[in-house]
């Protein structure tokens, strides 16, 4: 006899960049609308920032008018967000949405946030501004690949999963080692048991990596046509932002900032597409370690299959 169905706290829809998550979320919400409303909680460390619309592929105003979206445009780019704050915000929002009789749907590609929500957070040392500044100064002199090589000596496990130019994560790993004397990889993995039943996940993943690469190239070209460089120029013109901020380290923005610094915007497409491919590769690596229902995003009926998988998890 099957155990009774227990409604989840929220559904999770994950996948690499350009996999079609927004399209699936909207289609699922439309399909479910006659029976139950759906509200989306964004799981994206870039969508939290106001004024960063083009390079984040932020859902459009008409899309957000169709379905309520949360955790979008909640911070200024000069501010920072964290996995811990996301867990608190998402947990609160999911409860509020359920109390309204609607279904919470967490949608995004920031896999650390999904992992923190479903498995808890490790007790990693807090950020240290002085150490970060020192690492930034070293990176300007020596380059991030040199700091990646240092990380490989002190924390080979962390270095093995990071690209040599992944500045934000290299800096964090070296910061934790400098502050605690222990590798970041030793701090990680001590969280509570995964609560995947409460936060069940559908993941859009490509059967063909070439398909995803083509989608990434098309989307980045569309961002450039839509004015990504002008968006970054406007952010730079504020005068209070710099390349070391988490907002400006987002894929696409970092490459645009560097292209403007170097006076070589013609190379932005090549660099941006390469960086986005690397992001997608990291996202898929994260997903392989997560309990999930996989839907091939390059299948002709991906949206129908994804919606069916979400319905099954929701018990509707």
């Amino acid at each position: 006899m099957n155990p009774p169905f227990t409604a989840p706290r929220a559904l999770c829809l994950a996948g690499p960049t350009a996999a079609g998550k927004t399209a699936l979320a909207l289609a699922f919400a439309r399909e479910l609308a006659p029976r139950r409303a759906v509200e989306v909680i964004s799981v994206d460390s870039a969508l939290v920032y106001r004024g960063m619309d083009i390079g984040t592929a932020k859902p459009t105003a008409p899309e957000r008018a169709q379905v309520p979206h949360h955790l979008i445009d909640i911070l200024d780019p000069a501010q920072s967000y964290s996995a811990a704050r996301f867990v608190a915000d998402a947990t609160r929002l999911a409860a509020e949405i359920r109390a309204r009789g609607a279904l919470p749907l967490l949608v995004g590609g920031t896999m650390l946030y999904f992992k923190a929500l479903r498995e808890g957070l490790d007790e990693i040392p807090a950020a240290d501004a002085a150490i970060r500044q020192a690492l930034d100064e070293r990176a300007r002199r020596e380059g991030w690949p040199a700091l990646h090589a240092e990380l490989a000596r002190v924390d080979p496990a962390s270095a093995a999963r990071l690209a040599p130019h992944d500045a934000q994560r290299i800096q964090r790993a070296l910061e934790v080692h400098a502050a605690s004397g222990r590798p970041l990889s030793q701090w990680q993995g001590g969280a509570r048991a995964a609560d995947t039943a409460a936060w069940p996940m559908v993941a859009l993943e490509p059967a063909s990596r070439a398909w995803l690469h083509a989608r990434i190239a098309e989307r980045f070209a569309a961002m450039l046509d839509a004015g990504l460089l002008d968006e970054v120029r406007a952010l730079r013109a504020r005068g209070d932002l710099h390349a070391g901020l988490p907002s400006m380290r987002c894929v696409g923005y970092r490459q645009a900032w560097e292209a403007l610094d170097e006076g070589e915007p013609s190379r932005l497409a090549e660099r941006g597409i390469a960086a986005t491919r690397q992001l997608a590769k990291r996202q898929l690596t994260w997903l392989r370690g997560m309990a999930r229902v996989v839907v091939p995003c390059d299948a002709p009926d991906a949206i129908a299959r994804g919606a069916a998988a979400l319905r099954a998890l929701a018990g509707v």
Side-chain angles (χ1 to χ4, degrees), residues 251-267:
V251 167
Y253 290 88
R254 187 173 85 187
Q255 289 72 35
W257 192 288
E258 291 171 350
L260 292 170
D261 275 346
E262 297 166 2
E264 294 187 13
S266 62
R267 298 192 60 192

Side-chain angles (χ1 to χ4, degrees), residues 15 54 126 178 194 203 209 227 235 246 271 296 309:
I54 298 171
R209 195 67 62 91
L235 291 165
R271 290 180 175 182

Side-chain angles (χ1 to χ4, degrees), residues 22-86:
T22 296
L24 172 54
L26 294 174
F28 175 66
R30 286 193 298 269
E31 181 180 320
L32 213 63
R35 289 168 286 170
R36 191 176 183 188
V38 173
E39 296 188 31
V40 169
I41 301 172
S42 172
V43 188
D44 192 301
S45 59
L47 294 188
V48 296
Y49 295 113
R50 295 184 289 270
M52 293 173 58
D53 302 333
I54 298 171
T56 61
K58 192 171 288 181
T60 64
E63 288 171 337
R64 291 160 70 179
Q66 291 179 45
V67 179
H69 283 65
H70 305 273
L71 299 187
I72 294 178
D73 291 340
I74 62 171
L75 293 180
D76 184 85
Q79 298 173 300
S80 61
Y81 200 57
S82 68
R85 181 170 171 186
F86 167 78

Side-chain angles (χ1 to χ4, degrees), residues 34-174:
R35 289 168 286 170
R36 191 176 183 188
V38 173
E39 296 188 31
V40 169
I41 301 172
S42 172
V43 188
D44 192 301
S45 59
L47 294 188
V48 296
Y49 295 113
R50 295 184 289 270
M52 293 173 58
D53 302 333
I54 298 171
T56 61
K58 192 171 288 181
T60 64
E63 288 171 337
R64 291 160 70 179
Q66 291 179 45
V67 179
H69 283 65
H70 305 273
L71 299 187
I72 294 178
D73 291 340
I74 62 171
L75 293 180
D76 184 85
Q79 298 173 300
S80 61
Y81 200 57
S82 68
R85 181 170 171 186
F86 167 78
V87 170
D89 287 344
T91 303
R92 171 182 54 81
L93 285 164
E96 292 173 356
I97 292 167
R98 291 196 312 274
R100 290 192 285 272
L103 177 65
L105 176 62
L106 292 113
V107 181
T110 301
M111 303 307 168
L112 173 61
Y113 289 4
F114 276 123
K115 182 178 175 63
L117 182 68
R118 302 169 91 211
E119 302 180 24
L121 288 163
D122 300 296
E123 296 297 325
I124 300 174
D128 187 305
I131 294 175
R132 288 194 171 189
Q133 182 178 355
L135 290 169
D136 279 335
E137 290 172 358
R138 284 190 55 199
R140 281 192 287 272
R141 295 193 308 268
E142 306 170 30
W144 285 108
L147 271 69
H148 183 267
E150 177 180 326
L151 181 62
R153 292 191 293 273
V154 300
D155 186 357
S158 293
R161 63 180 177 82
L162 299 179
H165 292 279
D166 192 348
Q168 185 173 0
R169 292 174 178 82
I170 293 169
Q171 181 193 62
R172 179 58 177 150
L174 286 173

